[in-house]
Amino acid sequence: MFTRTRRSFVAQAAGVAAGLAMAVAAMPSMAQNYPTRPITMVCPWGAGGGTDATARIIASLLEKELGQPVTVVNRTGGSGVVGHSAIAAAAPDGYTIGVATVEIGMMHWQGLTELTGTSYTPIGLVNADPAGVQVRTESPYKTIQDLLAAIKANPGKLKASGTGQGGIWHLAIAGLLRDQKIDPATVPWVPSNGAAPGLQDMIAGGVDLAPVSLPESRSLIDAGKVRSLAIMAEEPAALYPNVPTLKKAIGSDWTMAAWRGIVAPKGIPADVRDKLAAAIKKIAASKEFNDFMSKQGYGVIYKAPDDFASFMAKSDKELGATMKAVGLIK
């Protein structure tokens, strides 16, 4: 009786082991069937901004590539920490991905989070946009020289907004001021949850300038509500070629750009990552994506996962050095 029971147990255990082995062996093929359900794309910034627009066009094209719905969810707050944290903390199964932005190389320097680019699985870099200097149309400042002269003459009077404290656009104007030997503290920064609310605050008279990108300002520029004084890039923007570079306007070599790329939580299966990366590469090269980005004035730049990882590491190092130089971190 005992022998039969023991033999039955051994046979049962062997069957379980064989079943587990078959399940493990089947895992790669299961991953190859990815995705089998909808995907969530987390956007760390508010609706109406450049990151939101980029996320939504990629999501719509990704749906076509993968055959499953891709829903954009805006998780704002904490100068980007909330959304970036949501991406990093999600299950590493490929069903939650997100848009990482240049701020991932800045937030940890400020002590806001421990997250860095290494906290994610890079999928692909898709965009980069330089900062500009925008004022409302009724502003007395017609040129960047006018604005800088007013800042020098009235320390602390002119305020700026367009992102959180220590965010990319804050760093952009602080770096420009330092480059011009003006104390960055002479332009108080009013934190916002992105370019759109910062621009609205400027139009309402709450702040005097918004050092955000031209694409983010486009609708208000075209509506005659905002004037762009300069762009922090080496070359003029195709969207508004008459807006001078800082180099042309004041002889400054200062440049600063925001970038955006698709990432997933760390540890997703390699073949799921590869499938996502192949889809993003195809999207970045597509006419539909490039036409949309061109129409909005957004710059398209593609880097594959490994190159994107290197890009984030380099960006992180350079941003940290710049933030220390302008006194945003001690």
Side-chain angles (χ1 to χ4, degrees):
M1 185 78 169
F2 172 79
T3 302
R4 282 199 302 272
T5 302
R6 185 175 183 280
R7 285 176 180 170
S8 175
F9 172 78
V10 170
Q12 232 177 353
V16 170
L20 287 171
M22 288 176 66
V24 170
M27 283 177 69
S29 62
M30 287 172 65
Q32 286 168 10
N33 292 330
Y34 165 89
T36 58
R37 54 187 172 86
I39 296 169
T40 296
M41 179 180 288
V42 176
C43 175
W45 302 100
T51 303
D52 179 66
T54 302
R56 291 182 188 281
I57 183 62
I58 290 175
S60 68
L61 296 175
L62 199 56
E63 284 188 2
K64 298 175 184 177
E65 289 298 318
L66 299 180
Q68 288 287 346
V70 180
T71 303
V72 175
V73 176
N74 298 90
R75 296 289 301 276
T76 63
S79 298
V81 173
V82 172
H84 282 91
S85 297
I87 302 167
D93 55 11
Y95 289 97
T96 298
I97 59 177
V99 184
T101 63
V102 65
E103 285 81 9
I104 196 60
M106 302 166 65
M107 298 183 294
H108 69 98
W109 290 110
Q110 300 166 271
L112 299 177
T113 179
E114 294 183 358
L115 295 173
T116 69
T118 61
S119 304
Y120 306 89
T121 298
I123 304 299
L125 179 69
V126 295
N127 161 256
D129 291 309
V133 181
Q134 332 298 345
V135 296
R136 58 185 170 276
T137 305
E138 297 81 8
S139 168
Y141 316 117
K142 308 297 183 186
T143 67
I144 188 68
Q145 291 95 327
D146 292 343
L147 179 65
L148 292 172
I151 290 170
K152 287 181 181 179
N154 304 280
K157 181 180 178 182
L158 277 71
K159 294 181 286 186
S161 187
T163 188
Q165 184 79 20
I168 183 63
W169 304 140
H170 184 193
L171 184 57
I173 193 65
L176 170 60
L177 294 172
R178 183 173 180 272
D179 177 77
Q180 295 297 297
K181 308 220 174 351
I182 302 171
D183 182 356
T186 61
V187 178
W189 188 260
V190 178
S192 70
N193 275 330
L199 285 163
Q200 290 299 329
D201 192 16
M202 183 182 75
I203 291 171
V207 298
D208 303 278
L209 62 143
V212 303
S213 72
L214 287 173
E216 291 171 319
S217 314
R218 182 177 186 176
S219 62
L220 295 172
I221 292 173
D222 291 347
K225 296 182 178 180
V226 166
R227 178 190 305 123
S228 186
L229 303 183
I231 185 171
M232 300 183 193
E234 294 179 358
E235 301 291 335
L239 185 60
Y240 298 108
N242 292 328
V243 175
T245 64
L246 289 176
K247 181 73 171 180
K248 181 177 180 181
I250 57 175
S252 172
D253 289 321
W254 176 256
T255 61
M256 180 59 65
W259 55 259
R260 303 172 180 99
I262 304 303
V263 297
K266 198 168 183 177
I268 67 170
D271 48 358
V272 171
R273 177 205 64 196
D274 291 347
K275 190 164 187 178
L276 282 168
I280 294 300
K281 181 179 181 180
K282 187 174 178 182
I283 287 169
S286 71
K287 184 178 185 301
E288 191 171 353
F289 180 69
N290 280 268
D291 284 351
F292 173 86
M293 298 296 274
S294 177
K295 185 177 179 181
Q296 301 298 319
Y298 301 157
V300 175
I301 176 173
Y302 172 75
K303 288 187 182 294
D306 290 345
D307 289 339
F308 183 20
S310 299
F311 175 89
M312 284 194 285
K314 182 173 183 288
S315 176
D316 187 290
K317 183 178 179 181
E318 291 176 345
L319 286 166
T322 304
M323 292 174 76
K324 288 178 183 177
V326 299
L328 290 173
I329 53 175
K330 305 299 182 185

